[in-house]
Amino acid sequence: MTTIQYRLAAALVLCGLLPACATTGESAQTASASDTAQEAPYPSTYARYPGVPTALVGATVYDGLGGQIDNGTVLFAEGEVVGIGTADMAIPAGYTRIDGRGKFVTPGVIDIHSHLGDYPSPSVDALSDGNEATSPTTPEVWAEHSIWPQDPGFSRALANGGVTSLQILPGSANLMGGRSATIKNVPSRTVQGMKFPGAPYGFKMACGENPKRVYGNRGRMPSTRMGNFAVDRQTWIDAQGYDGKKRDLAKETLKGVLDGKILVHNHCYRADEMALVIDMAKEMGYKVTAFHHAVESYKIADLLRENDVCSAVWADWYGFKMESYDGIPENAALLQQAGACVVIHSDDENGIQRLNQEAAKAQAAGHRIGIDIPDGQVVRWFTFNAAKAMGIGDRTGSLEAGKMADVVLWNGDPLSVYSRPEKVWVDGALLFDADDPKRRPVSDFELGQPGEGDVK
């Protein structure tokens, strides 16, 4: 492979050359064996691009689980991490050796909350496909049916942010917004070719101001927070008796949640409301995997820890609406101190390119109040913890033997504002190299546009 540009023409050529090219109709070599036509009617056709056995030598290695190895070695081949260790680790014959001295290695960055593809760039009404805001509950819609693979935001996230996997969510206008899609950040003509093989679906829920504003302004329920909960509870009750004899797309999704096959990602800002949602989940028989935008998580860190619920948070977004008023930059650090699960998320096409910097800001805020969090643990906030909350932690998110070789070589400390990804591998395939213009991805949409190929 001489180029990884996203160009459609190149993709067509590559499809003729590579077993990795993923399009509708091809068999998924790595798809979950449990997929059935009903549960996965649009199955993943993702297969990794070809790579070469690679040894990164001499860099500071963050393993994604909190560990740090100075002057470390990372080996990967055939799409998987072979091992990590110190400088004296043996390098098998046939490996391409890359000098990482003065540089840093992390697992691929993962964004648990993105709207790339369903709110793509350019941001115009014609491309706005993230909110089916026609009913307060739309469990029947799936984000993957809105995702536009040519969104230039994908390549920006790869080149500037080292993002190798991400969860695309439907928007937050609705109490129940629909299913999410977990994808690998690779060039593909189809969304099926990007879908993370075997990843569980997520289910986007929202509480608070958005649903009551959108539907209250239309003179319909819900217009209050108690209305939010009433609609949610009745919808869950209606779904509990679903037997599947007559297909109902909405109830199929809700049943999947109740059966533990679909993970709930709940947009929720206020601590008191998150606590009520946890109680509602227990009442109805499901579990919240993560609260997103959880600016007040620090107020109930113990409750979140005890219920094994992650908080996906920004570093310092606050005050842009009433329910975000009590957001504080020390949120992530206080959660970490309490032993709760922290994930740094973006919800933004620009923020996704700087999740490492956002994590560093949150770390610094903790330091200012006397909470010192090791760098390796901070890296975990945008790698393994995100993977865990998305149900893919057994496949990616950390540098462990047998896991996907999703790897970033940074030209400096990833927790420094001055550092950028130098090379990014997805499943062991080098998909971005800052030193090789031929590996600067360009989506088909960008061809002939100003700034084509510019990593911005």
Side-chain angles (χ1 to χ4, degrees):
M1 182 171 61
T2 58
T3 177
I4 58 159
Q5 293 181 331
Y6 284 23
R7 304 176 186 201
L8 178 59
L12 290 168
V13 172
L14 289 170
C15 281
L17 298 175
L18 304 175
C21 200
T23 60
T24 302
E26 294 181 11
S27 62
Q29 297 176 5
T30 51
S32 167
S34 63
D35 286 350
T36 65
Q38 182 166 319
E39 292 179 337
Y42 308 89
S44 169
T45 58
Y46 170 79
R48 64 179 173 84
Y49 279 87
V52 298
T54 302
L56 304 179
V57 181
T60 299
V61 178
Y62 293 123
D63 64 9
L65 297 172
Q68 174 179 337
I69 303 173
D70 296 325
N71 193 15
T73 299
V74 177
L75 304 178
F76 52 88
E78 301 296 328
E80 296 183 350
V81 175
V82 173
I84 70 171
T86 54
D88 57 358
M89 186 174 182
I91 300 174
Y95 275 61
T96 297
R97 185 186 181 102
I98 296 177
D99 185 356
R101 286 177 294 180
K103 303 173 185 177
F104 289 69
V105 177
T106 70
V109 176
I110 299 173
D111 191 359
I112 195 175
H113 192 121
S114 174
H115 295 295
L116 294 183
D118 62 13
Y119 282 123
S121 304
S123 178
V124 296
D125 288 346
L127 295 176
S128 177
D129 293 309
N131 266 317
E132 182 56 43
T134 53
S135 171
T137 60
T138 56
E140 63 270 36
V141 304
W142 296 15
E144 67 192 66
H145 297 144
S146 282
I147 294 171
W148 184 43
Q150 291 187 47
D151 182 356
F154 289 121
S155 57
R156 302 287 185 269
L158 179 80
N160 294 331
V163 173
T164 55
S165 298
L166 57 162
Q167 177 173 229
I168 312 298
L169 293 154
S172 54
N174 297 347
L175 293 165
M176 297 179 176
R179 295 197 195 194
S180 68
T182 295
I183 63 172
K184 304 280 287 192
N185 195 11
V186 296
S188 175
R189 295 176 296 172
T190 66
V191 68
Q192 295 97 319
M194 303 175 77
K195 288 178 67 174
F196 195 109
Y201 279 107
F203 182 49
K204 173 69 177 297
M205 296 185 69
C207 59
E209 294 178 15
N210 284 12
K212 77 190 194 81
R213 181 188 69 247
V214 171
Y215 295 99
N217 287 343
R218 299 176 189 176
R220 62 180 297 189
M221 195 172 182
S223 66
T224 61
R225 282 186 160 83
M226 59 185 174
N228 282 350
F229 274 81
V231 174
D232 270 338
R233 294 175 73 210
Q234 190 60 58
T235 305
W236 285 117
I237 289 169
D238 292 344
Q240 287 172 336
Y242 179 61
D243 60 11
K245 292 180 179 177
K246 181 181 179 181
R247 289 196 69 185
D248 181 309
L249 292 177
K251 290 179 179 175
E252 281 182 8
T253 292
L254 297 174
K255 186 68 162 50
V257 173
L258 295 172
D259 290 344
K261 297 178 180 177
I262 298 176
L263 309 179
V264 170
H265 296 270
N266 205 133
H267 153 134
C268 219
Y269 286 73
R270 280 185 7 193
D272 60 317
E273 204 163 13
M274 286 187 263
L276 285 169
V277 168
I278 290 172
D279 282 349
M280 177 172 65
K282 291 176 179 176
E283 177 192 13
M284 298 301 164
Y286 70 93
K287 181 181 185 303
V288 177
T289 297
F291 286 115
H292 293 220
H293 315 335
V295 299
E296 289 191 12
S297 277
Y298 65 95
K299 297 182 180 180
I300 54 166
D302 55 339
L303 186 62
L304 295 167
R305 181 193 65 238
E306 291 162 6
N307 286 278
D308 189 28
V309 181
C310 291
S311 295
V313 302
W314 298 290
D316 51 10
W317 287 24
Y318 90 104
F320 47 90
K321 53 183 175 178
M322 199 67 212
E323 63 188 359
S324 68
Y325 188 76
D326 260 358
I328 60 173
E330 296 85 0
N331 190 20
L334 290 167
L335 286 164
Q336 180 69 46
Q337 185 184 48
C341 170
V342 179
V343 179
I344 299 295
H345 71 353
S346 79
D347 190 23
D348 183 78
E349 68 273 24
N350 293 310
I352 193 173
Q353 301 174 34
R354 297 168 184 84
L355 287 169
N356 56 312
Q357 295 178 20
E358 293 300 299
K361 285 196 292 185
Q363 179 191 33
H367 180 73
R368 286 193 291 271
I369 61 170
I371 302 174
D372 289 321
I373 304 170
D375 292 349
Q377 182 60 51
V378 175
V379 169
R380 180 174 173 143
W381 292 350
F382 56 87
T383 56
F384 180 76
N385 281 7
K388 171 194 168 190
M390 291 159 61
I392 54 174
D394 61 335
R395 310 281 300 281
T396 188
S398 60
L399 300 176
E400 297 178 275
K403 282 196 169 181
M404 293 173 166
D406 299 335
V407 183
V408 183
L409 176 66
W410 304 81
N411 64 4
D413 186 344
L415 301 180
S416 164
V417 71
Y418 299 107
S419 299
R420 297 177 61 89
E422 183 172 298
K423 292 179 173 58
V424 183
W425 291 265
V426 178
D427 276 326
L430 181 58
L431 295 189
F432 173 71
D433 185 344
D435 298 322
D436 182 357
K438 292 181 179 179
R439 292 185 187 272
R440 292 179 181 172
V442 178
S443 78
D444 193 50
F445 175 77
E446 291 182 281
L447 289 175
Q449 308 262 18
E452 173 190 327
D454 187 348
V455 296
K456 302 295 186 291

